[in-house]
Amino acid sequence: MKEFIIALLVISFVICDQNAIFLNETYYPGFISVTEKSDLFYILFQSRSNPSTDPLVLWLNGGPGCSSLLGLFEENGPYKINDDATLRSNPFSWNSNANLIYVDQPVGTGYSHADARDLAKTEEQISNDFYSFLIQFFDKYPQYLGRVFYITGESYAGQYIPAISKKILEEKNPNINLKGIAIGNGWVDPYYQQPAYAEYAYVNHLINQTEYKKLSAQFSICQVFINYEAPYRLQEYFCEPPQEKIVGNNTFNIYNIKSPCIGTGCYDDQDNRIYQFLNKTDVQQLLGTQGRVWNACVDNVQNSLIKLSYRSSTQDLKAILNSGLKVLIYNGSLDYECNYIGNEKWLENLQWKNQIEYLKQQYSYVFKNHKIVGKEKNAGNLKFLIIFDAGHMVPMDQPEIALDMINSFIQQ
């Protein structure tokens, strides 16, 4: 009884908001300190269905150094942002059947603050900071203690998610009931993903056969330096030129080869709308972020992690797969930057307990309303899914299919 009363008291001190600006969704914003001078900003949205029993799903964007609030407003959150910096409801939000939390991490990303000495330089530091965040988060929201928990994200989160998940497994904390991870268009293993740039560009007629052969030879040299874990500058020296030849000679959108590229980031108009909204005085008062400036991506966070650009997260993923946790790897077929060919390659070469079974599998088509929308293969606790007519941001390009995907994953 005493523990129950304490839990109720803790809950009563947690700020829960509903207001017209945020379209009366139930949300919990806040900061959690992970060092003496650095913190992580989060915003938690209550499930639209059964918040007391639905799973807890975490979403992380990549970069590194890019805010997870990009995913909130551009992809799978409860809202989309209008041209006048107001919100409209997203019917395909991932909080349809889950309690959904977005975290600006590593420290210094988005709304989060970082002391210069706390900027992460290793995935170990990132996972330690995030584990500290989780411990304090569950203390603050005890209703989620032991709740089924999934970690999801995209792009460079293909490095974050395996590191964080492995840390959780190692800690064996009974209060953190991690059941699985989902990585979309992930940057996981550059050894295989670097040469996939040439193959993907050739298959999609972005380069010709002669260019493909020359670039493939250059990427083979790049692989040697990645394999021997050469200093970052040497890896960059041999890996960047062939990549630049593909992108520099074309004007395609690297995140969706069938969409126009607007601005240096290809989605600058959307990023600017989010910037305007999150830096409005009334919005910051509601979020408790007064005195801070939100930015989509932060250079000093990225620069601090630059030496990890060619790091592989497959050792962490092997431990996760062998533990029995569910793993979903998904890709939009139109993404060049972290394309499906590169993900196919590292998955085929990943040595884990069900590798032989995975290699035997053939793709089967995925249907929605009698229409083929993708293809997938499964082995044990691993699923690889390719979603057609989607780019780097799958929930943005195919929101209904992405919602079906995550609902199926968390409800199995």
Side-chain angles (χ1 to χ4, degrees), residues 33 126-127 155 209 238 261 269 308 375 411:
S33 296
I126 289 169
S127 60
S155 195
Q209 187 176 42
F238 288 99
C261 183
D269 55 343
L308 302 185
K375 61 182 183 179
Q411 291 171 4

Side-chain angles (χ1 to χ4, degrees), residues 175-315:
N175 292 326
I176 304 178
N177 187 17
L178 182 63
K179 289 294 186 181
I181 64 172
I183 300 172
N185 295 75
W187 186 246
V188 173
D189 193 342
Y191 180 84
Y192 295 104
Q193 290 183 265
Q194 282 286 331
Y197 285 132
E199 186 172 349
Y200 184 88
Y202 178 58
V203 168
N204 286 280
H205 312 292
L206 301 172
I207 58 175
N208 61 38
Q209 187 176 42
T210 300
E211 291 171 319
Y212 169 64
K213 289 180 178 179
K214 289 181 179 178
L215 290 167
S216 294
Q218 289 179 285
F219 277 122
S220 294
I221 299 172
C222 160
Q223 283 185 301
V224 171
F225 285 88
I226 293 175
N227 187 50
Y228 283 99
E229 299 180 356
Y232 163 70
R233 291 301 176 192
L234 272 177
Q235 293 175 325
E236 181 186 45
Y237 181 81
F238 288 99
C239 296
E240 282 301 304
Q243 160 78 310
E244 286 298 321
K245 285 180 182 177
I246 297 172
V247 177
N249 294 333
N250 292 276
T251 57
F252 66 91
N253 182 337
I254 61 173
Y255 303 112
N256 187 320
I257 61 173
K258 289 189 177 180
S259 292
C261 183
I262 301 172
T264 56
C266 286
Y267 295 96
D268 288 4
D269 55 343
Q270 297 181 64
D271 292 354
N272 288 336
R273 286 199 296 272
I274 299 172
Y275 178 88
Q276 291 173 15
F277 178 79
L278 289 175
N279 290 307
K280 290 169 65 175
T281 300
D282 55 350
V283 170
Q284 291 204 338
Q285 286 176 342
L286 292 170
L287 295 178
T289 56
Q290 302 96 318
R292 302 199 183 197
V293 176
W294 180 88
N295 286 293
C297 298
V298 179
D299 288 343
N300 64 351
V301 176
Q302 183 177 39
N303 293 337
S304 183
L305 292 166
I306 195 72
K307 292 182 180 180
L308 302 185
S309 296
Y310 300 97
R311 174 188 183 272
S312 171
S313 63
T314 52
Q315 291 300 316

Side-chain angles (χ1 to χ4, degrees), residues 12-196:
S12 69
F13 286 112
V14 173
I15 297 174
C16 162
D17 283 319
Q18 285 183 324
N19 59 69
I21 290 178
F22 285 97
L23 308 182
N24 296 318
E25 294 273 350
T26 301
Y27 68 98
Y28 304 80
F31 291 92
I32 289 178
S33 296
V34 293
T35 70
E36 184 179 346
K37 296 183 178 180
S38 300
D39 56 34
L40 297 178
F41 174 78
Y42 69 90
I43 182 166
L44 167 68
F45 293 94
Q46 197 173 87
S47 171
R48 292 172 173 173
S49 296
N50 298 299
S52 64
T53 57
D54 281 343
L56 179 65
V57 173
L58 166 71
W59 174 267
L60 301 175
N61 275 83
C66 292
S67 169
S68 294
L69 304 191
L70 291 169
L72 192 169
F73 292 109
E74 291 181 348
E75 301 188 66
N76 53 21
Y79 317 109
K80 297 293 183 179
I81 296 187
N82 300 313
D83 290 339
D84 63 354
T86 60
L87 301 180
R88 66 183 186 276
S89 182
N90 175 17
F92 305 112
S93 174
W94 284 15
N95 77 322
S96 296
N97 295 284
N99 300 285
L100 184 59
I101 179 173
Y102 297 86
V103 182
D104 277 344
Q105 69 87 50
V107 294
T109 302
Y111 275 137
S112 300
H113 173 74
D115 183 84
R117 293 169 295 182
D118 291 336
L119 286 170
K121 293 182 173 61
T122 67
E123 288 298 330
E124 290 74 19
Q125 185 177 349
I126 289 169
S127 60
N128 287 337
D129 284 349
F130 205 86
Y131 185 75
S132 175
F133 169 88
L134 286 175
I135 293 299
Q136 295 177 73
F137 173 84
F138 285 111
D139 284 343
K140 192 172 184 179
Y141 301 94
Q143 64 267 41
Y144 297 111
L145 289 171
R147 185 79 63 93
V148 170
F149 177 44
Y150 291 91
I151 302 178
T152 68
E154 72 185 13
S155 195
Y156 196 84
Q159 296 289 315
Y160 300 148
I161 294 172
I164 292 167
S165 302
K166 186 182 178 186
K167 172 69 174 177
I168 293 171
L169 288 175
E170 290 172 345
E171 292 295 331
K172 299 179 181 179
N173 188 328
N175 292 326
I176 304 178
N177 187 17
L178 182 63
K179 289 294 186 181
I181 64 172
I183 300 172
N185 295 75
W187 186 246
V188 173
D189 193 342
Y191 180 84
Y192 295 104
Q193 290 183 265
Q194 282 286 331

